[in-house]
Amino acid sequence: MKKSYRIKKNEEFQEIIQNGKSFANRELVIYYKEKPNQEHFRVGISVGKKLGNAVKRNRVKRCIRESFRQLQETIVPEVDIIIIGRKSVVGLNCNEVKQSLLHLLRKQRLLKIDK
């Protein structure tokens, strides 16, 4: 994922979490905030230490990033998104993570096809 698609700063994370909307399923929590006149969406990924060691956490993050890369063309461009992994995401393969992410994006109407 390109640098311009990432959210890295703590202030931006806090702004989206405090002032944005949220939704969750068993595996993931999504926080998002509309940003008018933005060229493309931006994503921040957070996976806590409670999920396991660094290998497991990094694998989860890789799966989430790959899912966003595959869905890049279908996601609404004027939004900042933060994804937080829950404990049950560790046992899933990348395709299942993508399906879980798709479920959240559809429910919150963050896909272009849903608009």
Side-chain angles (χ1 to χ4, degrees):
M1 193 180 311
K2 294 179 184 174
K3 278 190 177 183
S4 62
Y5 283 80
R6 291 189 222 148
I7 299 172
K8 287 292 222 178
K9 295 182 180 171
N10 186 39
E11 300 87 47
E12 292 177 327
F13 265 80
Q14 295 307 319
E15 167 72 18
I16 296 166
I17 289 172
Q18 290 170 1
N19 300 324
K21 298 174 186 162
S22 67
F23 193 72
N25 59 16
R26 281 195 188 118
E27 296 85 21
L28 301 168
V29 179
I30 185 172
Y31 289 90
Y32 65 96
K33 186 174 180 188
E34 308 254 337
K35 288 268 188 118
N37 305 323
Q38 188 169 271
E39 289 182 28
H40 51 76
F41 68 91
R42 297 187 315 151
V43 176
I45 300 171
S46 177
V47 180
K49 288 189 175 184
K50 289 183 179 180
L51 267 64
N53 62 15
V55 175
K56 290 179 183 175
R57 293 193 312 268
N58 288 333
R59 186 185 165 287
V60 169
K61 287 188 276 190
R62 277 196 309 273
C63 287
I64 293 171
R65 272 195 301 271
E66 176 62 17
S67 299
F68 270 106
R69 191 190 65 73
Q70 292 174 1
L71 299 170
Q72 187 169 325
E73 301 300 318
T74 62
I75 297 175
V76 175
E78 296 176 339
V79 69
D80 283 351
I81 301 170
I82 293 181
I83 297 291
I84 299 174
R86 287 184 162 176
K87 192 96 171 147
S88 58
V89 77
V90 174
L92 302 179
N93 64 35
C94 285
N95 197 33
E96 292 169 329
V97 171
K98 180 181 174 185
Q99 292 305 315
S100 179
L101 184 62
L102 258 173
H103 171 256
L104 289 173
L105 294 173
R106 275 195 193 109
K107 284 284 189 185
Q108 295 304 304
R109 299 191 182 279
L110 296 175
L111 296 176
K112 290 178 186 174
I113 52 177
D114 289 343
K115 288 252 173 180

